[in-house]
Amino acid sequence: MTSKELMREAIRLSIENVKQGGGPFGAVIARGGEIIATGVNRVVPNHDPTAHAEVSAIRAACERLGTFDLSDCDIYTSCEPCPMCLGAIYWARLRKVYYGNNRDDAERIGFGDAFIYRELACPIEAREKKIKQLLPDEAAQAFDDWTAKADKDPY
């Protein structure tokens, strides 16, 4: 499939998902023009704030391919990824991101995430969501154990 065909599939999924009670977002992960996995926004039906189209597609692609490394795949998403999805895209190492609607379009229909971008730009102590470090000495044990582990699979 071509890039335009793959994007049209992501858009089709987003339109169909609205009819099925989900949010207006769809995503396709492809490798060499072949669809590996798809995802749609199921936040409300699944009672899961992480059930965004991109995250769902990433989970499905990783499961199908048996890896967390999607560096030979591209993602086509009906809307510019939110900060959470963008983070997941980076962690999954997807090669390219193609999107339809942008973040301003999403903002206009009530799906704004500009506040998250603003929060991330602030120092921790200035953020609206109070964040406090607690028991760092105890938490360090897991990191020490990981560092010492000889058979770890780094990611």
Side-chain angles (χ1 to χ4, degrees):
M1 297 177 79
T2 68
S3 291
K4 287 183 179 180
E5 290 170 324
L6 292 163
M7 179 57 76
R8 284 189 182 107
E9 179 62 11
I11 293 166
R12 186 194 69 74
L13 288 167
S14 70
I15 294 166
E16 188 62 32
N17 196 50
V18 171
K19 295 174 187 173
Q20 296 176 5
F25 305 98
V28 170
I29 293 180
R31 181 172 61 187
E34 176 193 346
I35 294 175
I36 301 299
T38 64
V40 293
N41 179 289
R42 301 304 290 170
V43 169
V44 173
N46 292 4
H47 311 289
D48 180 355
T50 69
H52 289 203
E54 298 91 336
V55 171
S56 297
I58 289 168
R59 289 174 179 161
C62 289
E63 181 71 25
R64 177 172 177 202
L65 297 176
T67 183
F68 57 82
D69 184 350
L70 301 177
S71 58
D72 59 349
C73 298
D74 300 323
I75 188 165
Y76 297 80
T77 180
S78 63
C79 187
E80 181 180 357
C82 75
M84 176 185 69
C85 293
L86 190 58
I89 287 165
Y90 275 95
W91 282 116
R93 301 181 180 127
L94 284 152
R95 187 176 51 195
K96 287 186 183 175
V97 180
Y98 299 90
Y99 65 91
N101 296 307
N102 65 35
R103 68 175 87 168
D104 296 326
D105 300 324
E107 182 87 35
R108 278 193 290 282
I109 65 163
F111 289 93
D113 48 41
F115 73 98
I116 297 173
Y117 286 105
R118 283 192 305 273
E119 282 284 291
L120 291 173
C122 291
I124 287 178
E125 62 277 358
R127 293 182 183 166
E128 184 177 315
K129 184 76 62 190
K130 297 306 169 204
I131 301 173
K132 180 174 173 43
Q133 188 174 25
L134 190 62
L135 301 176
D137 294 337
E138 293 178 35
Q141 182 64 53
F143 281 18
D144 293 343
D145 292 351
W146 174 259
T147 301
K149 186 174 173 67
D151 62 342
K152 63 185 167 229
D153 191 2
Y155 54 94

